Amino acid sequence: MTNLKIKPRLLEICNLIEPNSKIVDVGADHALLDIYLNKHKNCTCLATDISEKCIERAKQNIIKYNANVKTKINDGLNGLELNDEIIVISGMGTITIKKILNKDITNDLIVVTHTDVDELKSFLKNKNYEITLEKNIFDKRKYTIIYAKAKKIC
């Protein structure tokens, strides 16, 4: 097997995810995060992207690294049946992340933005999410990684 190398930003995300987790990776690009999680943490992953070209490349990578990752051409979370998956959205701006998350969901979230961090945090709090971790990482530019959990309503 070829050694899989992932960017520091993606490795930081992986470090936040427990083994055997279920993941929906929105905007998965070439699915390297998902492949890494599947191979190193036995996670069940669905890699989605709006781009057919990206999903084709993801499928090639899944074969190359002999991973068990599902793929789907999809616009955000539209039409996905969500249960207890962790939703990962990485490498997009806050405006796009807010559009994707403007749904009635209670899944744990890992969101990574390089724009308008305070606006994203405010949006998450207004959706009844508690930010349990916030970390800055430099990977060619500054990114902020946020782990958020839905607050339990009694």
Side-chain angles (χ1 to χ4, degrees):
M1 177 180 106
T2 309
N3 283 341
L4 173 62
K5 292 189 177 145
I6 62 174
K7 294 179 179 183
R9 172 174 45 98
L10 297 181
L11 192 56
E12 284 294 328
I13 294 168
C14 291
N15 291 338
L16 298 176
I17 296 173
E18 294 294 321
N20 305 308
S21 295
K22 295 181 217 156
I23 307 297
V24 173
D25 183 6
V26 178
D29 200 26
H30 300 156
L32 297 178
L33 172 77
D34 307 283
I35 293 165
Y36 187 93
L37 286 169
N38 177 251
K39 300 300 280 183
H40 294 276
K41 293 198 168 188
N42 195 41
C43 292
T44 303
C45 300
L46 172 62
T48 73
D49 204 289
I50 197 168
S51 164
E52 188 174 340
K53 192 178 201 178
C54 285
I55 291 298
E56 282 308 311
R57 183 62 196 258
K59 288 177 181 178
Q60 292 169 7
N61 284 333
I62 291 164
I63 292 166
K64 176 180 178 180
Y65 294 108
N66 193 29
N68 184 14
V69 173
K70 292 182 180 168
T71 61
K72 182 177 178 80
I73 299 168
N74 205 66
D75 184 5
L77 297 171
N78 295 335
L80 296 181
E81 189 175 315
L82 298 171
N83 294 301
D84 59 348
E85 300 89 350
I86 299 169
I87 298 170
V88 176
I89 305 173
S90 176
M92 296 181 205
T94 290
I95 291 170
T96 304
I97 293 170
K98 286 171 53 180
K99 283 180 187 172
I100 292 168
L101 293 177
N102 200 15
K103 304 231 176 284
D104 187 22
I105 57 172
T106 57
N107 300 66
D108 284 7
L109 307 172
I110 298 176
V111 292
V112 184
T113 188
H114 55 277
T115 63
D116 303 315
V117 176
D118 290 336
E119 182 181 335
L120 180 58
K121 290 177 5 184
S122 176
F123 171 81
L124 292 171
K125 288 175 183 172
N126 287 337
K127 285 190 63 63
N128 206 32
Y129 271 85
E130 177 184 2
I131 295 170
T132 60
L133 178 135
E134 179 181 345
K135 183 175 186 175
N136 292 324
I137 184 161
F138 293 87
D139 186 358
K140 294 186 181 169
R141 67 169 99 174
K142 179 182 165 190
Y143 291 90
T144 301
I145 300 172
I146 296 171
Y147 197 116
K149 292 180 173 277
K151 292 180 185 174
K152 303 288 186 235
I153 299 171
C154 300

